[in-house]
Amino acid sequence: MSFLQDPATALIVVDIQNDFLPGGALPVPQGDEVIAPINRLMENAFTVVLTADWHPSRHKSFAINHPGKKPFELVDMPYGKQVLWPAHCVAGTEGAAFAEGLVTSCADLILRKGTCAERDSYSAFLEADRRTRTGLAGWLKEREICKVVVCGLAADYCVSWTALDAAQAGFDVCVVTDAVRAIAQVSYDEARTAWSAAGIRTALTNDLVGVTD
Ligand SMILES: [Zn+2]
């Protein structure tokens, strides 16, 4: 049985939304290139979770909600440093919609995150206060899923935090490196170092699709 078809494995597809693609409000360079490999992974996966960044317009991660501040500056939030972003993935807008080419019909769960105005949530498991749980770990564990494969956007933020929190929660984690793209090389290199330290494996789409254990 292929690793992805194992009922104990879930594929987590992070934030393939219009605002993170070229032309969007917070574009990840070459972000559109992950759609084809992700569709292949989803076709071959037993369990698929899609995540979506889903913010109210007054969200505190938006620079526009901090007078005098610009995107990519840092601010202090009650939970620590927060990068300020251009407004993106506002709930219900076209920018928050899944990319047109993404085959969303195979999703078992669509998880919206960052829905609270007061704090961000890069991770699909724990919000930025590092305390508030999204419920995803429980959903997976109730289905006796102990392995997760993570792909999507952006590799150095939401993918990385999701992978690290999954490992912290006790899941066996693998990131598909040809099915992610990063906002910046420096932060991607830091993320890969953190993944290694956390015991997170990496693989390519071809390693996971149609290959037996
Ligand atoms: Zn966001």
Side-chain angles (χ1 to χ4, degrees):
M1 182 195 300
S2 111
F3 183 78
L4 277 173
Q5 285 166 353
D6 183 343
T9 303
L11 177 68
I12 303 178
V13 179
V14 177
D15 298 4
I16 305 299
Q17 295 165 270
N18 290 327
D19 272 344
F20 295 128
L21 299 178
L26 179 45
V28 180
Q30 285 90 48
D32 52 328
E33 293 176 2
V34 303
I35 295 172
I38 287 175
N39 283 338
R40 277 184 74 206
L41 292 165
M42 290 196 295
E43 268 172 35
N44 287 277
F46 186 86
T47 300
V48 175
V49 176
L50 300 183
T51 76
D53 221 24
W54 198 260
H55 300 311
S57 58
R58 65 184 190 287
H59 197 250
K60 287 284 177 62
S61 80
F62 296 171
I64 197 170
N65 293 327
H66 298 261
K69 299 286 184 186
K70 293 193 176 66
F72 309 106
E73 286 185 37
L74 279 174
V75 292
D76 289 307
M77 298 284 282
Y79 51 79
K81 299 281 184 199
Q82 169 74 46
V83 181
L84 295 180
W85 302 106
H88 63 278
C89 295
V90 173
T93 63
E94 189 57 28
F98 288 119
E100 195 181 350
L102 189 74
V103 180
T104 57
S105 53
C106 49
D108 296 284
L109 175 70
I110 294 175
L111 178 85
R112 290 170 171 169
K113 61 188 180 61
T115 57
C116 172
E118 299 306 313
R119 57 183 176 268
D120 214 348
S121 190
Y122 297 150
S123 164
F125 289 90
L126 279 180
E127 297 188 6
D129 61 2
R130 308 279 78 204
R131 286 197 302 272
T132 308
R133 299 173 190 207
T134 64
L136 180 57
W139 189 89
L140 295 170
K141 285 176 180 172
E142 287 202 355
R143 291 175 165 237
E144 300 184 343
I145 289 166
C146 57
K147 297 176 277 191
V148 297
V149 175
V150 186
C151 57
L153 302 171
D156 38 352
Y157 289 92
C158 293
V159 167
S160 185
W161 285 51
T162 295
L164 290 167
D165 281 353
Q168 181 70 36
F171 293 93
D172 177 355
V173 185
C174 176
V175 177
V176 191
T177 51
D178 60 335
V180 301
R181 291 292 183 279
I183 290 177
Q185 188 64 43
V186 171
S187 41
Y188 185 50
D189 291 342
E190 289 170 1
R192 296 211 41 163
T193 301
W195 300 348
S196 296
I200 294 169
R201 292 176 294 119
T202 58
L204 297 171
T205 300
N206 281 341
D207 300 332
L208 296 169
V209 171
V211 178
T212 51
D213 270 334

